[in-house]
Amino acid sequence: MGSVNSDYRQIIENLLREYVDFLDQDDAIQPELVFDREHDRYLLVETGWQDNKRIHGPFLHLDIKDGKVWIQHDGTEDGIAYELEAAGIPKDQIVLGYRSFERRKLTEYAVS
C-alpha cells in the first residue's frame, strides 16, 4: 500500500460520498457506502423499493489493483472516469473494467 494508493483511496472515497449526497434525495431508495480499504474495494450500493419492486445493487464499484483504479461498474450518466481524471488520477491509471479487453484497447484509458 503506497502513497499513490492512499491518494487514490481518498479521491475515490470523496467522489462516492459526493454521489451519496446527490442520490440521497429519494426516501424509497437509500444509497449505502461500502469501503473495504484492506482489499481496496469501494462500492456505492442502492437499496430500497420502487413501484413494489426491490432495488438492491451497485451504482458504482471501483477497485484499486496493481496501483490502478478499476471501474468495475458505473451507473452514472456521464461516467465516473471523467471525475477521477478531474480529481487528479491520470488516464493511464484508470481501467474501464466493465468493458471487454478488446474494447478497452480502443479507449484513452489503461487496458489493464
Side-chain angles (χ1 to χ4, degrees):
M1 294 194 221
S3 66
V4 169
N5 277 8
S6 326
D7 293 344
Y8 290 179
R9 277 186 204 103
Q10 194 60 54
I11 289 169
I12 290 167
E13 289 180 12
N14 289 343
L15 283 174
L16 292 183
R17 283 188 183 99
E18 287 175 20
Y19 271 98
V20 165
D21 292 342
F22 176 74
L23 293 171
D24 202 16
Q25 311 291 323
D26 186 347
D27 291 335
I29 300 173
Q30 299 300 311
E32 296 180 12
L33 291 174
V34 180
F35 295 161
D36 178 354
R37 292 178 183 104
E38 183 180 345
H39 298 101
D40 278 325
R41 294 187 182 103
Y42 305 88
L43 290 94
L44 171 52
V45 178
E46 293 181 301
T47 61
W49 292 89
Q50 186 173 52
D51 299 324
N52 291 323
K53 181 180 174 195
R54 179 69 172 151
I55 304 295
H56 183 270
F59 182 76
L60 287 164
H61 174 179
L62 295 96
D63 295 331
I64 301 173
K65 294 188 204 178
D66 300 321
K68 293 184 181 178
V69 176
W70 283 70
I71 303 170
Q72 304 292 13
H73 181 80
D74 187 349
T76 67
E77 234 176 88
D78 297 327
I80 197 165
Y82 300 117
E83 294 179 65
L84 292 168
E85 281 180 71
I89 300 177
K91 284 182 182 183
D92 66 353
Q93 297 299 301
I94 300 171
V95 179
L96 305 179
Y98 58 89
R99 294 210 171 152
S100 70
F101 180 77
E102 292 302 316
R103 290 199 58 203
R104 275 186 247 149
K105 292 193 296 188
L106 304 174
T107 72
E108 299 176 353
Y109 295 98
V111 175
S112 64

